[in-house]
Amino acid sequence: MSENNHIETLIIRYLEQNISEEDIRELDRWLGESADNKTYFFQLKGIYDRICRSRHFNEEELEESWKHMLDKLESKPSTIPLGNDKKKNIFISSLKYVAIIVVAILMGWGIGEITGTQTHDSENNSLAWNEIEVQKGGKPSTILLSDGSKVSLNTATTFRYPTNFSEIEREVFLDGEAYFEIKEDALKPFIVKLKDQHITVLGTTFNIEAYTDENYSIITLLSGSISLETFNEKQESVSNQLMKPNQRAYFDRQSGIVSLESVDASLSNVWMNGEYKFRDEPLYLILKRLENYYGITIYLESESLRNIKYTGTFNVHQSIQEVLKIINYEKQFTFSELNKENEIYIRMSNFNEKI
């Protein structure tokens, strides 16, 4: 397979949200080799983003996007070694071939667990926003942003980001869990906006777990530093804390209190490899994550079990019944079989109730 065909395969996998961590790093290296490589990728991605506004195939819109892409490619001297006109024609043809495959992907191949939409900022029509949703029970997905930053999205997560960032700042919105690898840019801070928190960074790696329908959020810093600003219900800033590596910020939305603690931050993003490692973590947090991983609902009927802490490891290839048995090695609770409504009920074991 030629290098061009290999890169096109990686791009297709990326757009289909079916790309491995190793492949995303290879694609990232290729993008950094030249400006034309970035033009090739982001113009092709632009076709994809525009068609994402509708799940229906719009041939006129595709042709318009395609012509726009060719105009940009031909308006500047190429740094891609095409050699001669024949090679250039083959190269251009291959681009259009990839675009056709992108449309095929949008027609229903491989996107059952991930949905995407595109909107425009009402105050700035030049800023197009994309929204990616990884459904509950789906597979994690990696997004490559226009500045070269990478964001890995966990299940049951919605992520909103612009096709291209503004000249002032890099701003994104998150509802769910994501791992960020941010490219450093001292002139353009990167801001992640949650329901009631803003995280400002210049270049760092960190994990966020912040589901809008939950009463808590957890931010774990792996490297660099971040500024964590918290807001009340009136959207008034109430605190601003600077986090260091291997710190975790737990925000209780009911009390409004943010607590910092030292942790092994490397445990926070193992979900990207299909694993979940927890150390002294309360049962209710573990069960919430299991609900998202397996696309089920778990009812904790005994309130006294809620804050009992557990330590363990499992992977998403194990069944939910097997995982619950691992957690419950001390037989502190009993759990039902998964019913037709994808529900499981957990209650205190009879032995513990008598104590």
Side-chain angles (χ1 to χ4, degrees):
M1 180 184 294
S2 69
E3 182 179 357
N4 278 344
N5 288 338
H6 177 60
I7 291 299
E8 289 160 6
T9 300
L10 295 184
I11 294 175
I12 293 168
R13 289 175 183 169
Y14 169 80
L15 293 172
E16 196 181 7
Q17 304 298 342
N18 187 30
I19 188 168
S20 67
E21 183 67 21
E22 181 180 350
D23 285 345
I24 198 74
R25 292 186 185 280
E26 182 178 353
L27 183 59
D28 186 39
R29 286 194 297 270
W30 177 80
L31 287 171
E33 290 177 0
S34 73
D36 273 6
N37 286 357
K38 289 183 178 179
T39 299
Y40 176 8
F41 174 82
F42 286 111
Q43 286 297 317
L44 185 59
K45 184 176 179 296
I47 296 175
Y48 177 90
D49 290 337
R50 290 189 65 186
I51 298 173
C52 267
R53 280 178 277 174
S54 171
R55 290 293 296 276
H56 301 289
F57 176 70
N58 188 325
E59 188 171 354
E60 291 182 1
E61 187 175 43
L62 172 62
E63 191 63 29
E64 179 186 347
S65 297
W66 176 249
K67 289 179 179 178
H68 181 66
M69 177 180 176
L70 289 186
D71 288 342
K72 284 202 171 185
L73 284 175
E74 294 175 352
S75 65
K76 59 177 67 177
S78 176
T79 59
I80 300 177
L82 300 178
N84 53 44
D85 289 340
K86 182 178 180 180
K87 287 186 177 181
K88 182 176 180 180
N89 290 335
I90 293 174
F91 175 72
I92 295 298
S93 297
S94 69
L95 293 186
K96 196 163 188 176
Y97 177 72
V98 175
I100 293 171
I101 294 177
V102 170
V103 175
I105 291 170
L106 288 169
M107 294 298 288
W109 295 347
I111 56 176
E113 296 170 346
I114 300 170
T115 58
T117 58
Q118 186 180 70
T119 58
H120 284 270
D121 193 325
S122 59
E123 297 180 358
N124 184 359
N125 290 327
S126 64
L127 203 60
W129 287 85
N130 306 286
E131 185 170 287
I132 301 295
E133 180 181 359
V134 183
Q135 297 177 6
K136 197 173 184 179
K139 296 179 181 179
S141 171
T142 298
I143 305 296
L144 188 64
L145 303 181
S146 60
D147 67 338
S149 297
K150 291 192 289 291
V151 183
S152 298
L153 308 177
N154 206 347
T155 59
T157 294
T158 300
F159 182 64
R160 188 166 178 258
Y161 66 100
T163 301
N164 294 292
F165 290 110
S166 72
E167 296 180 358
I168 301 174
E169 62 186 11
R170 298 172 290 169
E171 182 180 83
V172 299
F173 296 82
L174 176 70
D175 176 5
E177 182 170 15
Y179 173 70
F180 292 81
E181 295 181 48
I182 305 304
K183 289 287 187 180
E184 185 173 357
D185 187 340
L187 300 178
K188 289 173 83 172
F190 192 99
I191 303 172
V192 184
K193 292 193 173 182
L194 312 178
K195 178 182 178 182
D196 35 31
Q197 290 178 303
H198 292 175
I199 300 166
T200 303
V201 305
L202 294 177
T204 186
T205 58
F206 56 99
N207 193 82
I208 299 175
E209 183 183 350
Y211 292 93
T212 301
D213 57 353
E214 297 296 341
N215 291 324
Y216 66 90
S217 66
I218 300 173
I219 295 95
T220 309
L221 181 61
L222 285 84
S223 67
S225 63
I226 60 177
S227 171
L228 175 62
E229 187 173 12
T230 303
F231 299 82
N232 60 21
E233 294 180 352
K234 297 179 181 179
Q235 290 301 299
E236 298 169 334
S237 179
V238 293
S239 70
N240 198 325
Q241 296 166 294
L242 185 65
M243 292 182 61
K244 300 177 181 179
N246 286 311
Q247 280 189 329
R248 180 171 73 175
Y250 181 92
F251 174 51
D252 186 324
R253 288 186 172 130
Q254 291 182 323
S255 67
I257 296 175
V258 179
S259 55
L260 286 178
E261 62 178 336
S262 297
V263 296
D264 180 359
S266 64
L267 299 180
S268 67
N269 65 335
V270 293
W271 56 264
M272 295 168 58
N273 300 318
E275 292 183 319
Y276 178 31
K277 295 182 179 181
F278 47 96
R279 182 178 298 165
D280 293 328
E281 191 162 331
L283 182 61
Y284 80 95
L285 289 182
I286 298 172
L287 297 182
K288 284 296 181 182
R289 190 177 289 264
L290 292 178
E291 286 183 325
N292 292 332
Y293 279 171
Y294 291 95
I296 63 176
T297 302
I298 303 176
Y299 292 99
L300 191 58
E301 294 188 318
S302 302
E303 187 66 21
S304 56
L305 290 170
R306 178 180 172 84
N307 290 309
I308 296 179
K309 295 183 178 181
Y310 294 88
T311 297
T313 302
F314 71 85
N315 64 66
V316 295
H317 302 296
Q318 295 175 282
S319 70
I320 182 60
Q321 299 289 332
E322 185 179 354
V323 172
L324 288 175
K325 287 179 181 178
I326 293 172
I327 296 172
N328 192 35
Y329 70 97
E330 291 185 351
K331 310 296 182 185
Q332 292 180 304
F333 58 82
T334 61
F335 55 89
S336 67
E337 295 291 328
L338 187 66
N339 62 26
K340 293 180 180 179
E341 285 74 34
N342 281 333
E343 299 170 330
I344 288 179
Y345 292 83
I346 294 179
R347 66 190 304 269
M348 183 77 75
S349 66
N350 291 332
F351 172 79
N352 285 283
E353 285 181 333
K354 294 177 181 179
I355 296 177

